[in-house]
């Protein structure tokens, strides 16, 4: 039984439609004469208006109608496409979202202001602007013949039209509004009563329409079901029929496809039916259901781990065989579930086109946004939580990084600054980079601000990375005054806290006068990871396998020799290591042959001394309780096959602790 709320479904689809409209408007800013984008924006507005009216969002439908009318004039060549018009409709698009969220709210004042802005944008250019503008003329849409014409229309709507909210009677009423209309219904596809699904539409219609409206007005009636319906529209005005016969008589006879074995519907199937079929294969599933299913898969993985442990403790080949088969199936189900939750970062990057457009207007800067690696996929939860940090980073790059056009030209740079968003996958991590070609980070200014704020001691020795990391401290800001964009010192702090909560890390690079680059390293998923299970004292711990570089043996003699320096020599490199037994205060004696697990995040490496390496482990991540929020050494917990709990080590924190220990030892030495 389908218990989805139709209003909730409409809100979801309307939000997607607003995104399509916004993307089309932003594409138009690059090429005002792009007829395909003009048509796409018009169709989006028309769809939103019709759907809003159908579901009772009258304010949304009435407001959208004015924007649709403006773009209809552009589409028909009656008004030019201009940057002022696009900006006005972008502002209106944000108001449409408010009308969607609060359909019964008081929006009259805002609606009036935006409609006046829209009218000025259209009227100013129509009355004669000196700036060159592109006028789009579609010959098929212009009413070059105002005489009355007769049209023969045969159409069949998709079977799921009513399920998706389409009202066939409303479409028929729109046809009658065009002029004199005679309708007849076709019931040839109507199934027998026992096979009839009352939710599906099985009827077809034929209509003869006498009107002075152009062909496009008839097609626009079906604009938001056009891709999925079967429609044949002919001009049967006597002079048009005669002209068609003359042309047909003059054409040579060509071979035609044999359609004798095809049904009438198949013979009239549109060319894009294959595309429509592929779209119909996609199913929209609420994210909450995916989360619930992920939880069930996690519990299954834990149960499978217990079964494997039990099967390994008994001599029963049948039980072992079943255990291995369930382990294989659970692994495949886990991998499939992980793929279902993955989304391309293009859905995240696309949000910043509007942000950059608005910031360019607000700051007076010329900004070019470049995105690469949009096909890189990340867990949906990660993408949702990355939105706010990336907003702060992009705003920071534009406000603090990019210079004004005249300053860039004076520095020998192009007038337009460039902000690049890129993503790529490295093992089980995704690296998202925000790069600009602006002025770079002034290290002297950062140090002065950090010392003034008490974040570091005057004259304190810091590595370049440590100094650059100061920009993420709470309350830190080098802005001279508070503006709408920056100056309060909270944005970068939010970035750091969010990335750390995602078990990620931040790398900063900057060159004075050449720009800055901030790289976010984030795990692909927050649900299930491959881990390395180790024992320290009497406790078990999990190290994310993606961070493990190699494992070494550390004897008691070597352990005693390294006392006081805690370094191991690894292929001519000195790598600091941490004794987890001492860090966790286990109070136990070390094993005779300890192991060193070398972990890294790309550039930095640290060794972790453990008593035993048990093996790989499919780790279902469980959140820590609020009582353990301040325990920074662990990022979560998992349940082992025997029912015991193992803590998951926070790699980023341990590497930072190892580097700090190394710096202290070098300073002492």
């Amino acid at each position: 039984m389908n218990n989805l709320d139709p209003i909730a479904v409409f809100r979801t689809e309307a939000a997607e439609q607003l995104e399509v409209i916004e993307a089309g408007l932003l594409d138009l800013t690059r090429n005002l004469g792009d007829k395909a984008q003009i048509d796409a924006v018009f169709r989006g507005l028309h769809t939103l208006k019709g759907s809003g009216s159908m579901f009772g969002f009258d304010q949304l439908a009435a407001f959208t109608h004015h924007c649709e009318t403006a773009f209809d004039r552009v589409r028909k060549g009656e008004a030019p496409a201009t940057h002022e018009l696009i900006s006005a409709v972008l502002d209106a698009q944000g108001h449409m979202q408010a009308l969607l969220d609060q359909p019964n709210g008081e929006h009259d004042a805002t609606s009036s202001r935006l409609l006046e802005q829209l009218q000025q944008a259209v009227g100013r250019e129509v009355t004669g602007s000196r700036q060159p503008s592109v006028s789009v003329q579609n010959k098929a849409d212009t009413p070059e013949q105002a005489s009355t014409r007769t049209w023969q229309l045969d159409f069949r709507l998709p079977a799921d039209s009513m399920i998706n909210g389409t009202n066939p009677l409303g479409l028929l009423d729109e046809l009658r509004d065009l002029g004199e209309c005679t309708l007849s219904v076709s019931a040839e596809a109507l199934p027998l009563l026992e096979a009839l699904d009352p939710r599906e539409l099985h009827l077809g219609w034929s209509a003869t329409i006498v009107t002075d409206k152009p062909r496009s007005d008839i097609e626009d009636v079906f604009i938001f079901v056009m891709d999925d319906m079967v429609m044949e529209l002919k001009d049967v005005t006597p002079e048009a029929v005669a002209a068609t016969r003359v042309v047909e008589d003059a054409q040579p006879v060509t071979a035609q496809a044999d359609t004798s074995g095809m049904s009438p519907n198949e013979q009239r199937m549109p060319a894009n039916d294959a595309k429509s079929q592929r779209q119909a294969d996609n199913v929209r599933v609420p994210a909450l259901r995916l989360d619930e299913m992920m939880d069930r898969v996690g519990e299954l993985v834990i149960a499978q781990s217990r079964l494997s442990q039990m099967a390994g403790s008994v001599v029963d080949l049948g039980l072992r065989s079943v255990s291995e088969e369930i382990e294989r199936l659970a692994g495949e189900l886990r991998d499939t579930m992980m793929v279902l939750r993955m989304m391309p970062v293009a859905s995240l990057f696309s949000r910043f086109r509007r942000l950059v457009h608005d910031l360019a207007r607000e700051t007076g800067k010329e900004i070019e946004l470049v995105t690469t690696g949009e096909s890189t996929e990340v867990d949906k939860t990660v993408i949702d939580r990355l939105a706010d940090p990336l907003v702060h980073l992009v705003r920071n790059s534009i406000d603090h990084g990019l210079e004004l056009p005249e300053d860039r030209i004076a520095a020998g740079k192009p007038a337009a600054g460039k902000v690049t968003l890129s993503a790529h996958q490295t093992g089980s991590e995704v690296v998202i980079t925000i790069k600009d070609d602006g002025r770079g980070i002034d290290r002297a200014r950062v140090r002065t601000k950090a010392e003034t704020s008490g974040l570091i001691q005057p004259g304190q020795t810091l590595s370049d990375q440590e100094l650059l990391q100061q920009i993420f401290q709470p309350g830190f800001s080098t802005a001279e005054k508070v503006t709408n964009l920056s100056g309060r010192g909270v944005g970068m702090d939010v970035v750091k806290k969010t990335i750390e909560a995602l078990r990620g890390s931040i790398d900063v690079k900057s060159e004075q006068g050449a720009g800055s680059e901030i790289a976010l390293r984030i795990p692909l998923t927050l649900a299930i990871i491959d881990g390395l299970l180790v024992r320290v004292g009497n406790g078990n711990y999990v190290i994310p396998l993606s961070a493990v570089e190699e494992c070494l043996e550390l004897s008691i003699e070597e352990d005693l020799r390294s006392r006081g320096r805690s370094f191991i020599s690894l292929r001519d490199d000195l790598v600091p290591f941490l004794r987890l037994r001492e860090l966790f205060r286990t109070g136990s004696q070390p094993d005779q042959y300890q192991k060193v697990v070398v972990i890294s995040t790309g550039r930095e490496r640290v060794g972790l001394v453990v008593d035993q390496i048990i093996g790989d482990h499919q780790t279902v991540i469980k959140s820590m309780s609020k009582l353990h929020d301040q325990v920074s050494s662990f990022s979560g917990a998992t349940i082992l096959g025997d029912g015991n709990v193992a803590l998951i080590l926070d790699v980023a924190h341990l590497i930072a602790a190892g580097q700090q220990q190394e710096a202290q030892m070098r300073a002492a030495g």
Side-chain angles (χ1 to χ4, degrees):
M1 179 177 179
N2 188 357
N3 58 357
L4 290 178
D5 181 6
I7 299 299
V9 173
F10 164 71
R11 289 181 188 273
T12 300
E13 294 182 349
E16 294 175 356
Q17 199 66 51
L18 286 171
E19 292 179 2
V20 171
I21 293 171
E22 180 179 277
L25 290 168
L26 293 172
D27 287 337
L28 264 181
T29 59
R30 301 177 182 177
N31 181 9
L32 295 177
D34 190 340
K35 182 185 180 302
Q37 291 299 337
I38 292 173
D39 289 342
V41 172
F42 173 77
R43 285 195 300 270
L45 293 169
H46 185 86
T47 300
L48 188 62
K49 180 195 75 171
S51 301
S53 178
M54 187 178 302
F55 284 93
F57 287 73
D58 296 332
Q59 288 194 74
L60 173 64
F63 180 79
T64 307
H65 171 72
H66 296 284
C67 299
E68 176 202 15
T69 301
F71 257 85
D72 190 33
R73 294 184 61 193
V74 174
R75 188 173 67 111
K76 294 179 178 179
E78 299 172 2
T82 64
H83 288 291
E84 289 81 2
L85 175 61
I86 293 171
S87 296
V89 180
L90 278 173
D91 292 340
Q93 184 253 356
H95 183 55
M96 293 175 198
Q97 183 65 58
L99 292 171
L100 179 65
D101 296 336
Q102 299 177 339
N104 298 320
E106 292 294 333
H107 303 286
D108 293 344
T110 305
S111 297
S112 299
R113 177 178 57 82
L114 291 173
L115 290 178
E116 182 179 353
Q117 178 183 347
L118 180 65
Q119 181 60 38
Q120 290 176 352
V122 178
R124 180 165 57 244
E125 292 294 334
V126 171
T127 55
S129 171
R130 295 186 179 181
Q131 296 181 357
S133 59
V134 180
S135 176
V136 180
Q137 183 76 14
N138 183 357
K139 186 175 181 180
D141 288 339
T142 56
E144 55 184 68
Q145 295 186 13
S147 59
T148 300
R149 309 190 70 80
T150 303
W151 300 89
Q152 179 62 42
L153 172 65
D154 298 304
F155 67 96
R156 183 179 298 278
L157 298 175
D160 59 355
S161 296
M162 295 187 293
I163 298 176
N164 293 332
T166 300
N167 183 358
L169 295 179
L171 300 181
L172 298 180
D173 288 339
E174 289 189 49
L175 287 177
R176 282 199 294 265
D177 291 341
L178 295 175
E180 182 181 343
C181 180
T182 303
L183 283 168
S184 61
V185 66
S186 171
E188 60 182 20
L190 194 65
L192 297 176
L193 184 60
E194 56 269 18
L196 179 65
D197 186 343
R199 299 174 300 173
E200 295 185 351
L201 182 63
H202 303 284
L203 302 178
W205 286 271
S206 295
T208 302
I209 307 168
V210 181
T211 179
D212 58 356
K213 303 293 184 182
R215 179 190 185 99
S216 61
D217 283 16
I218 301 176
E219 294 175 341
D220 285 349
V221 171
F222 307 97
I223 196 166
F224 50 88
V225 291
M226 182 71 75
D227 291 339
D228 302 320
M229 68 179 294
V230 177
M231 184 178 74
E232 185 176 355
L233 180 60
K234 294 180 180 179
D235 186 350
V236 295
T237 308
E239 55 267 26
V241 174
T244 302
R245 287 175 180 171
V246 171
V247 174
E248 290 176 350
D249 291 343
Q251 294 293 330
V253 178
T254 57
Q256 295 183 356
D258 181 13
T259 60
S260 58
M262 300 171 63
S263 67
N265 281 341
E266 292 172 327
Q267 294 177 22
R268 297 190 298 177
M269 192 66 68
N272 64 348
D273 183 69
K275 177 182 177 182
S276 300
Q277 182 61 41
R278 288 195 300 270
Q279 292 175 345
D281 291 340
N282 296 325
V283 179
R284 180 182 285 110
V285 178
L288 180 60
R289 294 189 180 181
L290 286 179
D291 293 339
E292 291 176 351
M293 190 172 180
M294 191 74 238
D295 291 340
R296 302 296 182 273
V297 172
E299 297 299 328
L300 176 62
V301 169
I302 294 173
Q304 172 268 316
S305 178
R306 296 184 61 186
L307 177 61
S308 297
Q309 186 170 346
M310 293 173 60
S313 63
V314 298
V315 184
D316 188 334
L317 296 181
L319 179 59
R320 289 189 178 184
S321 176
V322 172
S323 173
E324 291 173 357
E325 182 69 11
I326 292 179
E327 182 177 359
R328 180 183 66 81
L329 293 174
E332 292 177 354
L333 181 60
R334 183 201 69 165
D335 294 339
T336 301
M337 192 63 225
M338 299 294 289
V339 171
L340 287 178
R341 290 173 56 93
M342 302 296 273
M343 293 178 59
V345 296
S347 61
L348 179 63
F349 285 179
S350 62
R351 307 177 190 181
F352 295 96
R353 298 178 62 197
R354 174 67 180 275
L355 175 66
V356 170
H357 176 272
D358 292 344
L359 291 180
R361 293 170 57 191
E362 184 175 345
T363 61
K365 299 177 181 179
E366 297 181 20
I367 308 170
E368 178 187 359
L369 176 65
V370 178
T371 58
T372 60
E374 295 97 328
S375 59
T376 305
E377 293 188 330
V378 191
D379 190 287
K380 179 186 181 301
T381 304
V382 176
I383 284 186
D384 291 342
R385 295 172 66 177
L386 276 178
D388 285 344
L390 284 182
V391 167
H392 288 297
L393 291 174
V394 171
R395 290 167 67 98
N396 192 72
S397 292
I398 292 174
D399 189 37
H400 291 285
L402 297 185
E403 310 95 332
L404 291 170
E406 54 269 22
D407 296 333
R408 292 182 60 85
I409 293 174
K413 298 180 179 180
K418 181 184 292 186
V419 176
T420 303
L421 285 175
S422 62
H424 67 275
Q425 184 176 339
T426 303
S428 62
E429 287 185 331
V430 63
V431 181
I432 297 180
T433 304
I434 302 91
K435 183 179 180 181
D436 66 74
D437 63 348
R439 58 175 61 93
I441 299 177
D442 188 339
R443 289 166 172 78
R445 194 171 180 182
V446 170
R447 171 175 283 277
T448 300
K449 181 65 176 180
E451 291 177 353
T452 303
S453 303
L455 298 174
I456 61 174
Q457 297 299 320
Q460 180 179 342
T461 302
L462 296 175
S463 66
D464 187 61
Q465 188 62 215
E466 290 174 334
L467 179 61
L468 293 178
Q469 289 287 334
Q470 296 300 314
I471 65 176
F472 297 102
Q473 294 295 333
F476 187 92
S477 176
T478 57
E480 296 179 356
K481 60 181 180 179
V482 176
T483 66
N484 290 335
L485 292 182
S486 62
R488 301 186 185 277
V490 294
M492 303 301 275
D493 179 32
V494 170
V495 173
K496 183 178 181 181
K497 289 182 178 179
T498 303
I499 299 304
E500 288 180 346
L502 290 171
R503 306 193 312 275
S505 60
I506 306 175
D507 295 331
V508 184
K509 298 178 182 178
S510 181
E511 182 179 347
Q512 193 75 26
S516 304
E517 178 179 322
I518 298 179
L520 310 179
R521 294 180 173 272
I522 305 133
L524 288 173
T525 179
L526 303 177
I528 301 177
I529 61 172
D530 289 321
L532 183 67
L533 187 62
V534 300
R535 179 178 60 82
V536 179
N538 296 322
N540 293 327
Y541 302 89
V542 174
I543 305 173
L545 198 58
S546 60
V548 176
E549 194 170 284
E550 57 184 299
C551 299
L552 308 171
E553 189 170 283
L554 182 70
S555 65
I556 294 180
E557 292 78 9
E558 292 174 330
D559 186 21
L560 292 175
R561 282 200 303 269
S562 65
R563 291 286 172 177
R565 58 188 183 95
S566 296
F567 283 94
I568 57 173
S569 178
L570 187 62
R571 290 184 291 278
D572 298 329
D573 287 336
L574 288 178
V575 178
F577 64 82
L578 299 171
R579 294 176 174 84
L580 295 185
R581 188 180 59 260
E582 297 177 0
L583 184 64
F584 299 156
R585 300 176 183 176
T586 62
S588 59
Q589 294 298 317
D591 282 17
Q592 182 177 1
Y593 295 101
Q594 301 176 85
K595 305 296 187 294
V596 179
V597 181
V598 181
I599 59 175
S600 71
T601 57
R603 297 181 304 170
E604 310 292 347
R605 294 189 298 178
V606 167
L608 304 178
V609 180
V610 302
D611 290 324
Q612 180 187 3
I613 297 175
I614 300 174
D616 64 319
H617 183 267
Q618 286 191 22
T619 305
V620 180
I621 301 174
K622 301 291 185 181
S623 300
M624 305 277 282
S625 70
K626 292 185 178 180
L627 295 176
H628 299 88
D629 282 346
Q630 303 302 319
V631 183
S632 55
S633 299
F634 309 111
S635 59
T638 188
I639 302 175
L640 303 178
D642 58 4
N644 291 323
V645 174
L647 297 176
I648 303 170
L649 300 183
D650 188 327
V651 172
H653 174 79
L654 292 174
I655 287 181
Q659 295 299 320
Q660 183 178 6
Q661 174 178 293
E662 177 187 8
Q664 292 173 351
M665 289 183 176
R666 291 184 186 276

